[in-house]
Amino acid sequence: MLEKPIREMTTREKAARAYRLLSEDEAVRGQARAARTLLEKLEDQDMTVAVVGQFKRGKSALSNRILGEDVLPVGIVPITSAVTRVKYGERRAEVRYENGICEEIPESDLHRFISEQENRNNELGVAEVVLQAPSGFLKSGLTFVDTPGVGSFHKNNTEVAYDHMKESDAVIFLLSVDSPINQIEIDFLRNTRNFAARFYFAVNKIDTVSPAELGEYLKYCESVLEQLMGEKEIRIFPVSARTGEGVEELKAVIQADLGAQARSIMEMSTAKKLIDVIDRAVEQLDFYWKAMNMEYKELDRRFEEIEKTMTDIRARAAACEGGFHLHLNEYKMELSRRVKELFGMEYHYDIDMLKLGILDMDRQTFVQKTEELCSDLKQTLDRILLYREENAYTVCHRINAINRLLRELRRIRDSLAQDLSQT
């Protein structure tokens, strides 16, 4: 059965097409996984709403007001150093580490993991904290995200905020009356526009200024934001996270908007994110071309380096006496880093989520899986980089396959961009 012309496809069909194309080529396996995630979120209508902005604007305090209860810790110094996701359910808290470990914790211990004072530069390696709360705001299935503030002394916070901003479908962009809109916020907003489909601008701390001062500040914000967003009549919600003033109006507008326009918001968000996935795939294939065209001497050196890394990992696995699941995840992350360093390409592994206390891999299985990890990587690199390949037909076939993939991906990207320009 022939597929529709791309220009006639829905956003979902374009996402499915991009996923199929990407999944057929090992060089872009990371982008294939990203496209699959977007497709699943669109099909499930799994919407993410994030509070973003500069540090000390009151994001966590406003989040608590929106959720209707004190879920997130707040403080005088910048608190949030790790992304916190909040979903609907009975109260519970879970820390998910970058190495795959998941640990349920008492809510009273949250500050140990998401406070910059106690987890400086995320030295604990927290990937995210996932909370559940019986908040009416979340009952429809929304995922609410509180991000670290950008622009603080702690560079890691800004990087984490930028990374997770890309996952948001709708954004509450928080400003504050005690500071004019600055370049950090302008840059962050410009980046966020490329990923989120809906924006709600809120100005916090209105209880600290007079009505006249607030009116003047709101006019200033409207002028700046209209220019940045390329829209007229930007709506701004004046709020006080401390007193609760204005928060119910903000919540009501968000809930009504997301309820009535959930599908169109998710489709626009998916289209924006898919353009980024395709751009990264094209960039990845460009790195791939450069690696393929290295002189044999240089390519030999880099293959020798990755072989040394794998030999070292095999030796460590042989000497390992426990924590097998955890070590296997760490080997995956180490190999991904080395491929990036040596060949300029992203090489993604699925990191297994590991519940403390229920890890049951035996030593023999661990050593076997480690060997499979290394040998599969070596074979994949040989195959996609055509290492020492002398068969001209194989080389030509690979080159033609990449060129076809690039053409198809660019056609989907251009069609998505055209769709967005008409909304």
Side-chain angles (χ1 to χ4, degrees), residues 267-418:
E267 287 181 352
M268 182 183 293
S269 175
T270 300
K272 289 186 173 188
K273 293 173 175 60
L274 188 55
I275 287 173
D276 178 66
V277 170
I278 291 173
D279 283 341
R280 287 189 286 116
V282 171
E283 182 181 19
Q284 174 84 342
L285 290 169
D286 182 54
F287 281 125
Y288 167 76
W289 274 118
K290 290 176 181 176
M292 277 184 62
N293 289 308
M294 286 180 190
E295 293 183 0
Y296 272 139
K297 184 177 180 180
E298 179 60 22
L299 200 55
D300 284 343
R301 185 189 70 78
R302 299 190 187 204
F303 266 89
E304 288 170 5
E305 287 296 319
I306 196 69
E307 189 62 55
K308 287 178 184 177
T309 299
M310 291 188 288
T311 299
D312 181 58
I313 285 175
R314 289 185 178 103
R316 279 182 275 152
C320 188
E321 298 182 354
F324 299 133
H325 277 99
L326 176 59
H327 286 296
L328 198 62
N329 276 349
E330 290 173 344
Y331 297 160
K332 289 177 181 179
M333 292 188 290
E334 182 177 350
L335 288 171
S336 290
R337 285 194 299 270
R338 287 298 282 159
V339 171
K340 180 71 173 178
E341 291 166 1
L342 292 170
F343 302 101
M345 300 187 306
E346 295 179 12
Y347 193 86
H348 287 268
Y349 291 102
D350 289 329
I351 301 299
D352 297 326
M353 291 292 105
L354 311 173
K355 294 283 187 181
L356 286 177
I358 56 173
L359 309 181
D360 57 359
M361 184 184 295
D362 59 63
R363 182 189 184 90
Q364 182 178 352
T365 302
F366 166 65
V367 172
Q368 179 183 343
K369 284 185 174 291
T370 302
E371 178 57 38
E372 290 172 357
L373 200 67
C374 294
S375 60
D376 286 351
L377 174 60
K378 177 65 166 58
Q379 291 170 14
T380 301
L381 288 174
D382 284 349
R383 190 163 52 248
I384 67 175
L385 292 174
L386 301 176
Y387 184 51
R388 292 295 185 183
E389 178 59 63
E390 297 180 357
N391 186 310
Y393 172 80
T394 300
V395 174
C396 290
H397 180 76
R398 180 68 181 136
I399 291 172
N400 288 335
I402 294 171
N403 285 332
R404 284 197 302 272
L405 175 59
L406 285 168
R407 285 196 300 270
E408 286 296 304
L409 290 176
R410 286 171 175 145
R411 288 175 62 206
I412 295 172
R413 180 189 61 190
D414 294 346
S415 179
L416 290 166
Q418 184 175 9

